[in-house]
Amino acid sequence: MAEKWENTLLFSSSIFLLLLFLSSAVSDPLQLQTLLPRPLPHPPTLSWTDSEPDSLAEIAELSTVNSNTTLEMHLELHHLDAFSSEEIPERLFDFRLQRDALRADTIYSQVSNAVARKPPRAGSRSGFSSSIISGLAHGSGEYFTRLGVGTPPRYLYMVLDTGSDVVWVQCSPCKNCYSQTDPIFDPTKSRSFSGIPCGSPLCRSLDSSGCNLRRMCLYQVSYGDGSVTFGDFSTETLSFRGNRVGRVALGCGHDNEGLFVGAAGLVGLGRGRLSFPTQAGRRFNRKFSYCLVDRSTSSRPSSMIFGDAAIPRTAVFTPLLTNPKLDTFYYVELLWISVGGTRVRGITPSLFKMDQDGNGGVIIDSGTSVTRLTRPAYIALRDAFRIGASNLKRAPDFSLFDTCFDLSGKTTVKVPTVVLHFRGADVSLPATNYMIPVDRSGTFCFAFAGTMSGLSIIGNIQQQSFRVAFDLGGSRIGFAPRGCA
């Protein structure tokens, strides 16, 4: 009898718990947030006032940073579209997606080649380094700043890119130089320009190196699309709004052909040995951050900070991971994604895991626009969002986007929330970071895409309005919402 009573009680408890679970599921509504539909923004116009010190007295007033000095630097960032202010928004957006596709393909190729690469045979000589990766060549020139090169400093527009590992600038004399907004940098007019000898540690830090007849170091980078940059590997002083950083190793390119655009060069912000954060890391306590504004909602410039001030107190952090075969990219651990307050079924940590050979994983990248998720994760996310947004009028697919909506005539729209769950950091995206305009007629698309690659890329559209903080000493990346103020 007691056993029968115990079984009855157990059955009743199970029914009660099941009803409680079903009740909570029903009472837990879809979490929504408001989207204010705005059309594609017109391109910004370039307006930058340089103060170029030419006299010795003025130059002496600049704060020169040596390896034992720490400082903070604040820079304005502007989008590449400012170089094409005469173009219509739809055409600029199309160009951006074309660059983005090229960028993603190059990253996937670079990672797969690194994973498959075998150590070079003894005595083999490729002539030049393949480790210098130029963001301008593979479509990553999305954000740029203005900085001084040389002594006295000559101010130039330079792209900043977390997916590149080098600083390089076009130099005269030019065998082939693409069109840029500023005059070509002339190293003979700089008192701080210095070539790097072939046998020096800096030259040897290249995967392989070339030498000219004077036994000075050369660099060359070639790409599958025919783009190439070639020139002298040297050291030079860079000036950032009143602060100078001396002896930065950079490529002085005399032959630059292919898919390059209006900036004079590039500042690589990757994790490799030749990137600017690695070279100048101790001078900024190995910390930097950026905040990319949503240009459809704000006219303020984006910004970048180097030094302790780069790390906001409100940031949530996730650990940095390391690819054993490639040190350029910033890998993180993405665990789950939620839509409308519910974890998406079918998305598991295994879909984003990097294996011991360096395959797969997730990177944070400033040069890729659209976030690309490995295909099974994307399909699960897309389907969950479609269900949550089933009340919105669908529109035809657009370019790489297969989930689009007709929001014409609407002033406000409710859309499901989207949260990226990294290890230790839940990043809740604003609606404008995943529902973006693709024309000026009210068509908006879900700004994620799938990839057949095992590597997922968190792009800059999803990073908008967050201060993305890189604490390299602490081996972590942080996200602070509303970080552009």
Side-chain angles (χ1 to χ4, degrees), residues 157 243 360 413:
Y157 291 115
N243 293 296
V413 175

Side-chain angles (χ1 to χ4, degrees), residues 121-441:
R121 299 189 308 272
S124 66
R125 183 176 183 275
S126 61
F128 297 96
S129 168
S130 59
S131 67
I132 297 180
I133 304 301
S134 164
L136 287 177
H138 56 250
S140 68
E142 291 296 301
Y143 290 90
F144 63 91
T145 191
R146 195 152 177 83
L147 56 86
V149 180
T151 307
R154 295 304 173 197
Y155 283 83
L156 306 169
Y157 291 115
M158 299 281 283
V159 168
L160 295 105
D161 177 32
T162 58
S164 300
D165 273 343
V166 73
V167 183
W168 71 267
V169 64
Q170 286 203 115
C171 289
S172 63
C174 278
K175 179 179 179 182
N176 286 290
C177 282
Y178 61 88
S179 176
Q180 66 179 55
T181 304
D182 299 293
I184 303 292
F185 177 69
D186 184 353
T188 64
K189 295 182 179 178
S190 170
R191 294 192 295 275
S192 50
F193 182 87
S194 178
I196 296 175
C198 278
S200 73
L202 273 176
C203 193
R204 291 199 304 269
S205 70
L206 303 172
D207 289 344
S208 58
S209 57
C211 299
N212 62 18
L213 295 177
R214 295 178 290 112
R215 302 297 300 165
M216 302 301 286
C217 195
L218 300 174
Y219 83 99
Q220 174 176 300
V221 188
S222 300
Y223 302 90
D225 60 14
S227 301
V228 62
T229 174
F230 163 80
D232 303 310
F233 200 50
S234 53
T235 61
E236 183 56 287
T237 295
L238 302 182
S239 300
F240 301 82
R241 300 184 67 177
N243 293 296
R244 292 192 299 169
V245 181
R247 294 194 57 77
V248 176
L250 56 78
C252 189
H254 300 286
D255 190 345
N256 313 289
E257 304 173 68
L259 300 177
F260 299 104
V261 288
L266 180 137
V267 179
L269 300 175
R271 300 178 73 183
R273 292 167 295 179
L274 296 174
S275 75
F276 183 74
T278 301
Q279 291 193 60
R282 286 184 297 174
R283 309 172 198 187
F284 306 108
N285 277 342
R286 303 189 68 196
K287 298 171 183 175
F288 72 94
S289 67
Y290 56 75
C291 193
L292 309 176
V293 300
D294 176 3
R295 293 181 299 120
S296 67
T297 63
S298 175
S299 59
R300 297 194 312 268
S302 300
S303 65
M304 175 165 280
I305 302 173
F306 290 89
D308 290 334
I311 309 299
R313 296 177 181 176
T314 57
V316 291
F317 287 92
T318 187
L320 272 173
L321 306 180
T322 300
N323 188 324
K325 297 293 185 68
L326 185 66
D327 56 9
T328 300
F329 300 115
Y330 292 93
Y331 282 83
V332 292
E333 187 176 5
L334 180 62
L335 302 174
W336 319 96
I337 302 177
S338 295
V339 171
T342 302
R343 189 175 291 176
V344 176
R345 294 181 61 184
I347 293 184
T348 61
S350 62
L351 293 177
F352 305 119
K353 189 175 180 61
M354 176 172 53
D355 66 24
Q356 61 183 8
D357 295 322
N359 295 295
V362 179
I363 65 172
I364 303 287
D365 184 43
S366 68
T368 302
S369 292
V370 178
T371 289
R372 287 162 168 82
L373 301 176
T374 189
R375 187 81 182 154
Y378 171 70
I379 291 175
L381 172 65
R382 177 201 65 189
D383 291 350
F385 188 82
R386 285 178 176 178
I387 293 171
S390 58
N391 62 314
L392 299 180
K393 181 181 178 182
R394 289 290 297 274
D397 296 353
F398 184 93
S399 184
L400 78 168
F401 303 124
D402 62 7
T403 302
C404 299
F405 303 89
D406 179 2
L407 304 184
S408 58
K410 297 184 179 296
T411 56
T412 62
V413 175
K414 293 292 186 180
V415 296
T417 58
V418 175
V419 181
L420 304 180
H421 300 279
F422 299 97
R423 181 167 297 282
D426 295 334
V427 179
S428 181
L429 301 180
T432 51
N433 286 29
Y434 54 88
M435 282 284 281
I436 65 168
V438 298
D439 57 26
R440 296 186 65 80
S441 303

